[in-house]
Amino acid sequence: MIVRIMGEGQFEVPDSLVDRLNELDNAVLAALDTADRADFKVSLAALLAAVRAGGTPVADDVLVPSDATLPFEDATVDEVKALLHDDGLIPG
């Protein structure tokens, strides 16, 4: 899976990490539902950190479509809501 973090670039994420990313994505969604801004920031930071730690950066000169687009670290609640799909930020 190719995941883009806005402002940073793309990461190739192994299939073995997708379930964990979906768990973290669910935590972001739960924080959005409860309007808990502190929990939202922590959950979003954890999701982005997991992509960075478990993914391999895609070279800037390689053009591949992204399977998921994540917001930048300091994104607002409204900016994240604009990126949501029916199944959250991470497909699946």
Side-chain angles (χ1 to χ4, degrees):
M1 167 185 281
I2 302 295
V3 177
R4 173 178 298 284
I5 298 177
M6 295 172 68
E8 289 185 41
Q10 292 179 303
F11 295 82
E12 185 172 359
V13 175
D15 291 340
S16 60
L17 185 59
V18 172
D19 286 342
R20 178 66 181 140
L21 294 182
N22 276 309
E23 290 172 10
L24 294 168
D25 185 24
N26 289 338
V28 172
L29 295 175
L32 289 173
D33 285 344
T34 62
D36 185 332
R37 290 192 187 273
D39 193 32
F40 162 73
K41 288 293 186 183
V42 169
S43 300
L44 179 58
L47 176 59
L48 297 175
V51 170
R52 292 179 191 119
T56 303
V58 175
D60 290 338
D61 62 343
V62 174
L63 298 174
V64 292
S66 298
D67 299 301
T69 300
L70 301 180
F72 50 94
E73 189 102 20
D74 293 330
T76 66
V77 168
D78 290 335
E79 289 168 330
V80 172
K81 285 181 178 181
L83 293 173
L84 289 178
H85 300 281
D86 291 339
D87 53 357
L89 295 166
I90 302 292

